[in-house]
PDB file of all heavy atoms in Angstrom:
ATOM      1  N   ALA H   1      -3.719  11.443 -18.850  1.00 94.00           N
ATOM      2  CA  ALA H   1      -4.066  10.068 -19.117  1.00 94.00           C
ATOM      3  C   ALA H   1      -3.203   9.066 -18.310  1.00 94.00           C
ATOM      4  O   ALA H   1      -3.649   7.985 -17.938  1.00 94.00           O
ATOM      5  CB  ALA H   1      -4.004   9.729 -20.614  1.00 94.00           C
ATOM      6  N   HIS H   2      -1.940   9.424 -18.108  1.00 96.00           N
ATOM      7  CA  HIS H   2      -1.006   8.498 -17.459  1.00 96.00           C
ATOM      8  C   HIS H   2      -0.734   8.792 -15.982  1.00 96.00           C
ATOM      9  O   HIS H   2       0.118   8.093 -15.332  1.00 96.00           O
ATOM     10  CB  HIS H   2       0.332   8.481 -18.190  1.00 96.00           C
ATOM     11  CG  HIS H   2       0.184   7.773 -19.569  1.00 96.00           C
ATOM     12  ND1 HIS H   2      -0.254   8.511 -20.672  1.00 96.00           N
ATOM     13  CD2 HIS H   2       0.459   6.533 -19.985  1.00 96.00           C
ATOM     14  CE1 HIS H   2      -0.218   7.682 -21.744  1.00 96.00           C
ATOM     15  NE2 HIS H   2       0.155   6.450 -21.299  1.00 96.00           N
ATOM     16  N   ASP H   3      -1.432   9.704 -15.353  1.00 97.00           N
ATOM     17  CA  ASP H   3      -1.222  10.053 -14.013  1.00 97.00           C
ATOM     18  C   ASP H   3      -1.409   8.875 -13.114  1.00 97.00           C
ATOM     19  O   ASP H   3      -0.585   8.576 -12.172  1.00 97.00           O
ATOM     20  CB  ASP H   3      -2.128  11.216 -13.533  1.00 97.00           C
ATOM     21  CG  ASP H   3      -1.647  12.542 -14.096  1.00 97.00           C
ATOM     22  OD1 ASP H   3      -0.570  12.641 -14.669  1.00 97.00           O
ATOM     23  OD2 ASP H   3      -2.394  13.547 -13.923  1.00 97.00           O
ATOM     24  N   ALA H   4      -2.533   8.134 -13.301  1.00 97.00           N
ATOM     25  CA  ALA H   4      -2.841   7.027 -12.371  1.00 97.00           C
ATOM     26  C   ALA H   4      -1.850   5.906 -12.530  1.00 97.00           C
ATOM     27  O   ALA H   4      -1.370   5.314 -11.512  1.00 97.00           O
ATOM     28  CB  ALA H   4      -4.243   6.507 -12.694  1.00 97.00           C
ATOM     29  N   ILE H   5      -1.455   5.525 -13.720  1.00 98.00           N
ATOM     30  CA  ILE H   5      -0.541   4.433 -13.881  1.00 98.00           C
ATOM     31  C   ILE H   5       0.882   4.784 -13.395  1.00 98.00           C
ATOM     32  O   ILE H   5       1.588   3.965 -12.826  1.00 98.00           O
ATOM     33  CB  ILE H   5      -0.512   3.885 -15.341  1.00 98.00           C
ATOM     34  CG1 ILE H   5       0.065   2.518 -15.390  1.00 98.00           C
ATOM     35  CG2 ILE H   5       0.206   4.853 -16.254  1.00 98.00           C
ATOM     36  CD1 ILE H   5      -0.770   1.456 -14.700  1.00 98.00           C
ATOM     37  N   ASP H   6       1.239   6.068 -13.575  1.00 98.00           N
ATOM     38  CA  ASP H   6       2.558   6.504 -13.065  1.00 98.00           C
ATOM     39  C   ASP H   6       2.585   6.388 -11.526  1.00 98.00           C
ATOM     40  O   ASP H   6       3.562   5.939 -11.003  1.00 98.00           O
ATOM     41  CB  ASP H   6       2.804   7.954 -13.451  1.00 98.00           C
ATOM     42  CG  ASP H   6       3.085   8.093 -14.969  1.00 98.00           C
ATOM     43  OD1 ASP H   6       3.418   7.074 -15.606  1.00 98.00           O
ATOM     44  OD2 ASP H   6       3.012   9.261 -15.442  1.00 98.00           O
ATOM     45  N   LEU H   7       1.496   6.750 -10.891  1.00 98.00           N
ATOM     46  CA  LEU H   7       1.392   6.667  -9.435  1.00 98.00           C
ATOM     47  C   LEU H   7       1.383   5.193  -8.999  1.00 98.00           C
ATOM     48  O   LEU H   7       2.099   4.806  -8.044  1.00 98.00           O
ATOM     49  CB  LEU H   7       0.132   7.360  -8.889  1.00 98.00           C
ATOM     50  CG  LEU H   7      -0.121   7.260  -7.388  1.00 98.00           C
ATOM     51  CD1 LEU H   7       1.068   7.804  -6.598  1.00 98.00           C
ATOM     52  CD2 LEU H   7      -1.393   8.012  -7.019  1.00 98.00           C
ATOM     53  N   LEU H   8       0.682   4.355  -9.701  1.00 98.00           N
ATOM     54  CA  LEU H   8       0.648   2.918  -9.398  1.00 98.00           C
ATOM     55  C   LEU H   8       2.038   2.299  -9.466  1.00 98.00           C
ATOM     56  O   LEU H   8       2.449   1.461  -8.617  1.00 98.00           O
ATOM     57  CB  LEU H   8      -0.335   2.166 -10.270  1.00 98.00           C
ATOM     58  CG  LEU H   8      -0.465   0.685  -9.993  1.00 98.00           C
ATOM     59  CD1 LEU H   8      -1.099   0.429  -8.598  1.00 98.00           C
ATOM     60  CD2 LEU H   8      -1.369  -0.007 -11.048  1.00 98.00           C
ATOM     61  N   ARG H   9       2.754   2.655 -10.498  1.00 98.00           N
ATOM     62  CA  ARG H   9       4.153   2.116 -10.651  1.00 98.00           C
ATOM     63  C   ARG H   9       4.999   2.460  -9.414  1.00 98.00           C
ATOM     64  O   ARG H   9       5.783   1.612  -8.944  1.00 98.00           O
ATOM     65  CB  ARG H   9       4.770   2.603 -11.920  1.00 98.00           C
ATOM     66  CG  ARG H   9       4.182   2.078 -13.196  1.00 98.00           C
ATOM     67  CD  ARG H   9       4.897   2.596 -14.433  1.00 98.00           C
ATOM     68  NE  ARG H   9       4.200   2.398 -15.660  1.00 98.00           N
ATOM     69  CZ  ARG H   9       4.217   1.271 -16.400  1.00 98.00           C
ATOM     70  NH1 ARG H   9       4.903   0.259 -15.931  1.00 98.00           N
ATOM     71  NH2 ARG H   9       3.525   1.204 -17.558  1.00 98.00           N
ATOM     72  N   VAL H  10       4.847   3.647  -8.900  1.00 98.00           N
ATOM     73  CA  VAL H  10       5.589   4.058  -7.742  1.00 98.00           C
ATOM     74  C   VAL H  10       5.170   3.260  -6.542  1.00 98.00           C
ATOM     75  O   VAL H  10       6.026   2.772  -5.739  1.00 98.00           O
ATOM     76  CB  VAL H  10       5.425   5.574  -7.451  1.00 98.00           C
ATOM     77  CG1 VAL H  10       6.024   5.980  -6.138  1.00 98.00           C
ATOM     78  CG2 VAL H  10       6.021   6.420  -8.593  1.00 98.00           C
ATOM     79  N   GLN H  11       3.855   3.105  -6.341  1.00 98.00           N
ATOM     80  CA  GLN H  11       3.362   2.311  -5.207  1.00 98.00           C
ATOM     81  C   GLN H  11       3.805   0.830  -5.281  1.00 98.00           C
ATOM     82  O   GLN H  11       4.056   0.240  -4.253  1.00 98.00           O
ATOM     83  CB  GLN H  11       1.809   2.387  -5.121  1.00 98.00           C
ATOM     84  CG  GLN H  11       1.298   3.777  -4.837  1.00 98.00           C
ATOM     85  CD  GLN H  11      -0.227   3.883  -4.966  1.00 98.00           C
ATOM     86  OE1 GLN H  11      -0.739   3.498  -6.020  1.00 98.00           O
ATOM     87  NE2 GLN H  11      -0.869   4.371  -3.961  1.00 98.00           N
ATOM     88  N   LEU H  12       3.944   0.308  -6.495  1.00 98.00           N
ATOM     89  CA  LEU H  12       4.267  -1.091  -6.576  1.00 98.00           C
ATOM     90  C   LEU H  12       5.752  -1.308  -6.290  1.00 98.00           C
ATOM     91  O   LEU H  12       6.109  -2.512  -6.012  1.00 98.00           O
ATOM     92  CB  LEU H  12       3.996  -1.585  -8.049  1.00 98.00           C
ATOM     93  CG  LEU H  12       2.500  -1.759  -8.361  1.00 98.00           C
ATOM     94  CD1 LEU H  12       2.369  -2.117  -9.842  1.00 98.00           C
ATOM     95  CD2 LEU H  12       1.883  -2.832  -7.507  1.00 98.00           C
ATOM     96  N   GLU H  13       6.557  -0.327  -6.273  1.00 98.00           N
ATOM     97  CA  GLU H  13       8.014  -0.556  -5.947  1.00 98.00           C
ATOM     98  C   GLU H  13       8.174  -1.234  -4.635  1.00 98.00           C
ATOM     99  O   GLU H  13       9.105  -2.011  -4.475  1.00 98.00           O
ATOM    100  CB  GLU H  13       8.752   0.773  -6.030  1.00 98.00           C
ATOM    101  CG  GLU H  13       8.884   1.377  -7.473  1.00 98.00           C
ATOM    102  CD  GLU H  13       9.511   2.698  -7.472  1.00 98.00           C
ATOM    103  OE1 GLU H  13       9.909   3.235  -6.366  1.00 98.00           O
ATOM    104  OE2 GLU H  13       9.669   3.298  -8.535  1.00 98.00           O
ATOM    105  N   THR H  14       7.315  -0.927  -3.657  1.00 97.00           N
ATOM    106  CA  THR H  14       7.417  -1.531  -2.304  1.00 97.00           C
ATOM    107  C   THR H  14       6.288  -2.432  -1.944  1.00 97.00           C
ATOM    108  O   THR H  14       6.134  -2.826  -0.799  1.00 97.00           O
ATOM    109  CB  THR H  14       7.590  -0.423  -1.233  1.00 97.00           C
ATOM    110  OG1 THR H  14       6.482   0.485  -1.407  1.00 97.00           O
ATOM    111  CG2 THR H  14       8.862   0.389  -1.509  1.00 97.00           C
ATOM    112  N   HIS H  15       5.477  -2.747  -2.904  1.00 97.00           N
ATOM    113  CA  HIS H  15       4.275  -3.561  -2.628  1.00 97.00           C
ATOM    114  C   HIS H  15       4.646  -5.042  -2.595  1.00 97.00           C
ATOM    115  O   HIS H  15       5.373  -5.549  -3.440  1.00 97.00           O
ATOM    116  CB  HIS H  15       3.189  -3.332  -3.682  1.00 97.00           C
ATOM    117  CG  HIS H  15       1.868  -3.806  -3.268  1.00 97.00           C
ATOM    118  ND1 HIS H  15       1.425  -5.119  -3.412  1.00 97.00           N
ATOM    119  CD2 HIS H  15       0.812  -3.164  -2.654  1.00 97.00           C
ATOM    120  CE1 HIS H  15       0.167  -5.244  -2.977  1.00 97.00           C
ATOM    121  NE2 HIS H  15      -0.213  -4.074  -2.482  1.00 97.00           N
ATOM    122  N   PRO H  16       4.146  -5.759  -1.550  1.00 97.00           N
ATOM    123  CA  PRO H  16       4.539  -7.202  -1.441  1.00 97.00           C
ATOM    124  C   PRO H  16       4.079  -8.062  -2.582  1.00 97.00           C
ATOM    125  O   PRO H  16       4.646  -9.148  -2.823  1.00 97.00           O
ATOM    126  CB  PRO H  16       3.919  -7.608  -0.117  1.00 97.00           C
ATOM    127  CG  PRO H  16       2.798  -6.633   0.123  1.00 97.00           C
ATOM    128  CD  PRO H  16       3.312  -5.347  -0.458  1.00 97.00           C
ATOM    129  N   ARG H  17       3.074  -7.708  -3.347  1.00 97.00           N
ATOM    130  CA  ARG H  17       2.584  -8.456  -4.430  1.00 97.00           C
ATOM    131  C   ARG H  17       2.852  -7.825  -5.805  1.00 97.00           C
ATOM    132  O   ARG H  17       2.077  -7.979  -6.752  1.00 97.00           O
ATOM    133  CB  ARG H  17       1.091  -8.729  -4.287  1.00 97.00           C
ATOM    134  CG  ARG H  17       0.750  -9.562  -2.995  1.00 97.00           C
ATOM    135  CD  ARG H  17      -0.631 -10.183  -3.035  1.00 97.00           C
ATOM    136  NE  ARG H  17      -0.719 -11.086  -4.234  1.00 97.00           N
ATOM    137  CZ  ARG H  17      -1.898 -11.588  -4.663  1.00 97.00           C
ATOM    138  NH1 ARG H  17      -3.008 -11.201  -4.046  1.00 97.00           N
ATOM    139  NH2 ARG H  17      -1.920 -12.358  -5.714  1.00 97.00           N
ATOM    140  N   LYS H  18       3.907  -7.077  -5.871  1.00 97.00           N
ATOM    141  CA  LYS H  18       4.301  -6.357  -7.088  1.00 97.00           C
ATOM    142  C   LYS H  18       4.249  -7.302  -8.295  1.00 97.00           C
ATOM    143  O   LYS H  18       3.753  -6.945  -9.366  1.00 97.00           O
ATOM    144  CB  LYS H  18       5.648  -5.757  -6.949  1.00 97.00           C
ATOM    145  CG  LYS H  18       6.243  -5.097  -8.192  1.00 97.00           C
ATOM    146  CD  LYS H  18       7.612  -4.555  -7.960  1.00 97.00           C
ATOM    147  CE  LYS H  18       8.206  -3.974  -9.218  1.00 97.00           C
ATOM    148  NZ  LYS H  18       9.557  -3.427  -9.026  1.00 97.00           N
ATOM    149  N   SER H  19       4.803  -8.525  -8.181  1.00 97.00           N
ATOM    150  CA  SER H  19       4.950  -9.392  -9.322  1.00 97.00           C
ATOM    151  C   SER H  19       3.601  -9.939  -9.816  1.00 97.00           C
ATOM    152  O   SER H  19       3.523 -10.452 -10.912  1.00 97.00           O
ATOM    153  CB  SER H  19       5.880 -10.603  -8.945  1.00 97.00           C
ATOM    154  OG  SER H  19       5.288 -11.362  -7.876  1.00 97.00           O
ATOM    155  N   ASP H  20       2.557  -9.800  -9.018  1.00 98.00           N
ATOM    156  CA  ASP H  20       1.198 -10.296  -9.364  1.00 98.00           C
ATOM    157  C   ASP H  20       0.342  -9.235 -10.044  1.00 98.00           C
ATOM    158  O   ASP H  20      -0.767  -9.487 -10.431  1.00 98.00           O
ATOM    159  CB  ASP H  20       0.486 -10.839  -8.145  1.00 98.00           C
ATOM    160  CG  ASP H  20       1.195 -12.004  -7.537  1.00 98.00           C
ATOM    161  OD1 ASP H  20       1.806 -12.809  -8.331  1.00 98.00           O
ATOM    162  OD2 ASP H  20       1.146 -12.195  -6.311  1.00 98.00           O
ATOM    163  N   VAL H  21       0.854  -8.022 -10.120  1.00 98.00           N
ATOM    164  CA  VAL H  21       0.139  -6.921 -10.829  1.00 98.00           C
ATOM    165  C   VAL H  21       0.741  -6.815 -12.238  1.00 98.00           C
ATOM    166  O   VAL H  21       1.924  -6.518 -12.434  1.00 98.00           O
ATOM    167  CB  VAL H  21       0.311  -5.605 -10.069  1.00 98.00           C
ATOM    168  CG1 VAL H  21      -0.409  -4.470 -10.801  1.00 98.00           C
ATOM    169  CG2 VAL H  21      -0.224  -5.725  -8.619  1.00 98.00           C
ATOM    170  N   LYS H  22      -0.094  -7.084 -13.203  1.00 98.00           N
ATOM    171  CA  LYS H  22       0.345  -7.143 -14.605  1.00 98.00           C
ATOM    172  C   LYS H  22      -0.137  -5.846 -15.308  1.00 98.00           C
ATOM    173  O   LYS H  22      -1.326  -5.732 -15.670  1.00 98.00           O
ATOM    174  CB  LYS H  22      -0.153  -8.378 -15.298  1.00 98.00           C
ATOM    175  CG  LYS H  22       0.169  -9.688 -14.560  1.00 98.00           C
ATOM    176  CD  LYS H  22       1.698  -9.857 -14.413  1.00 98.00           C
ATOM    177  CE  LYS H  22       2.018 -11.153 -13.684  1.00 98.00           C
ATOM    178  NZ  LYS H  22       3.476 -11.336 -13.534  1.00 98.00           N
ATOM    179  N   ILE H  23       0.763  -4.926 -15.601  1.00 98.00           N
ATOM    180  CA  ILE H  23       0.454  -3.695 -16.276  1.00 98.00           C
ATOM    181  C   ILE H  23       0.614  -3.927 -17.773  1.00 98.00           C
ATOM    182  O   ILE H  23       1.715  -4.244 -18.226  1.00 98.00           O
ATOM    183  CB  ILE H  23       1.360  -2.532 -15.782  1.00 98.00           C
ATOM    184  CG1 ILE H  23       1.079  -2.283 -14.302  1.00 98.00           C
ATOM    185  CG2 ILE H  23       1.101  -1.287 -16.653  1.00 98.00           C
ATOM    186  CD1 ILE H  23       2.001  -1.188 -13.723  1.00 98.00           C
ATOM    187  N   LEU H  24      -0.466  -3.882 -18.496  1.00 98.00           N
ATOM    188  CA  LEU H  24      -0.468  -4.140 -19.932  1.00 98.00           C
ATOM    189  C   LEU H  24      -0.558  -2.833 -20.729  1.00 98.00           C
ATOM    190  O   LEU H  24      -1.485  -2.066 -20.509  1.00 98.00           O
ATOM    191  CB  LEU H  24      -1.629  -5.016 -20.333  1.00 98.00           C
ATOM    192  CG  LEU H  24      -1.778  -6.395 -19.593  1.00 98.00           C
ATOM    193  CD1 LEU H  24      -2.954  -7.148 -20.166  1.00 98.00           C
ATOM    194  CD2 LEU H  24      -0.489  -7.193 -19.744  1.00 98.00           C
ATOM    195  N   GLU H  25       0.363  -2.584 -21.596  1.00 97.00           N
ATOM    196  CA  GLU H  25       0.208  -1.491 -22.553  1.00 97.00           C
ATOM    197  C   GLU H  25      -0.873  -1.870 -23.551  1.00 97.00           C
ATOM    198  O   GLU H  25      -1.113  -3.069 -23.777  1.00 97.00           O
ATOM    199  CB  GLU H  25       1.546  -1.199 -23.241  1.00 97.00           C
ATOM    200  CG  GLU H  25       2.666  -0.728 -22.312  1.00 97.00           C
ATOM    201  CD  GLU H  25       2.445   0.611 -21.703  1.00 97.00           C
ATOM    202  OE1 GLU H  25       1.704   1.386 -22.295  1.00 97.00           O
ATOM    203  OE2 GLU H  25       3.092   0.888 -20.661  1.00 97.00           O
ATOM    204  N   PRO H  26      -1.542  -0.846 -24.163  1.00 97.00           N
ATOM    205  CA  PRO H  26      -2.530  -1.193 -25.193  1.00 97.00           C
ATOM    206  C   PRO H  26      -1.998  -2.208 -26.244  1.00 97.00           C
ATOM    207  O   PRO H  26      -0.907  -1.999 -26.835  1.00 97.00           O
ATOM    208  CB  PRO H  26      -2.865   0.127 -25.828  1.00 97.00           C
ATOM    209  CG  PRO H  26      -2.657   1.092 -24.693  1.00 97.00           C
ATOM    210  CD  PRO H  26      -1.428   0.598 -23.993  1.00 97.00           C
ATOM    211  N   GLY H  27      -2.763  -3.275 -26.423  1.00 97.00           N
ATOM    212  CA  GLY H  27      -2.347  -4.350 -27.390  1.00 97.00           C
ATOM    213  C   GLY H  27      -1.648  -5.506 -26.728  1.00 97.00           C
ATOM    214  O   GLY H  27      -1.555  -6.608 -27.344  1.00 97.00           O
ATOM    215  N   MET H  28      -1.206  -5.363 -25.482  1.00 98.00           N
ATOM    216  CA  MET H  28      -0.504  -6.467 -24.816  1.00 98.00           C
ATOM    217  C   MET H  28      -1.527  -7.427 -24.217  1.00 98.00           C
ATOM    218  O   MET H  28      -2.680  -7.035 -23.844  1.00 98.00           O
ATOM    219  CB  MET H  28       0.412  -5.934 -23.706  1.00 98.00           C
ATOM    220  CG  MET H  28       1.612  -5.194 -24.192  1.00 98.00           C
ATOM    221  SD  MET H  28       2.687  -4.575 -22.817  1.00 98.00           S
ATOM    222  CE  MET H  28       3.040  -6.099 -21.942  1.00 98.00           C
ATOM    223  N   SER H  29      -1.159  -8.701 -24.064  1.00 98.00           N
ATOM    224  CA  SER H  29      -2.006  -9.702 -23.539  1.00 98.00           C
ATOM    225  C   SER H  29      -1.357 -10.367 -22.332  1.00 98.00           C
ATOM    226  O   SER H  29      -0.126 -10.398 -22.224  1.00 98.00           O
ATOM    227  CB  SER H  29      -2.312 -10.775 -24.596  1.00 98.00           C
ATOM    228  OG  SER H  29      -2.995 -10.222 -25.727  1.00 98.00           O
ATOM    229  N   PHE H  30      -2.211 -10.945 -21.477  1.00 98.00           N
ATOM    230  CA  PHE H  30      -1.743 -11.754 -20.347  1.00 98.00           C
ATOM    231  C   PHE H  30      -2.411 -13.091 -20.408  1.00 98.00           C
ATOM    232  O   PHE H  30      -3.614 -13.175 -20.447  1.00 98.00           O
ATOM    233  CB  PHE H  30      -2.084 -11.029 -19.088  1.00 98.00           C
ATOM    234  CG  PHE H  30      -1.784 -11.861 -17.814  1.00 98.00           C
ATOM    235  CD1 PHE H  30      -0.447 -12.130 -17.437  1.00 98.00           C
ATOM    236  CD2 PHE H  30      -2.785 -12.371 -17.028  1.00 98.00           C
ATOM    237  CE1 PHE H  30      -0.201 -12.831 -16.303  1.00 98.00           C
ATOM    238  CE2 PHE H  30      -2.556 -13.097 -15.878  1.00 98.00           C
ATOM    239  CZ  PHE H  30      -1.206 -13.328 -15.514  1.00 98.00           C
TER     240      PHE H  30
END
């Protein structure tokens, strides 16, 4: 279940728009 989000977190470490990607855990709001 968490394979994709784990990979995305790694990719975001060097992504220029890291701060604009909002990863929400279940129940969290933006």
Side-chain angles (χ1 to χ4, degrees):
H2 289 84
D3 285 352
I5 198 65
D6 289 344
L7 178 58
L8 181 64
R9 292 182 194 276
V10 171
Q11 292 172 310
L12 287 175
E13 290 177 1
T14 57
H15 196 275
R17 297 198 60 193
K18 174 182 178 179
S19 63
D20 297 326
V21 180
K22 306 301 180 181
I23 297 174
L24 305 181
E25 298 291 339
M28 290 179 60
S29 299
F30 173 69

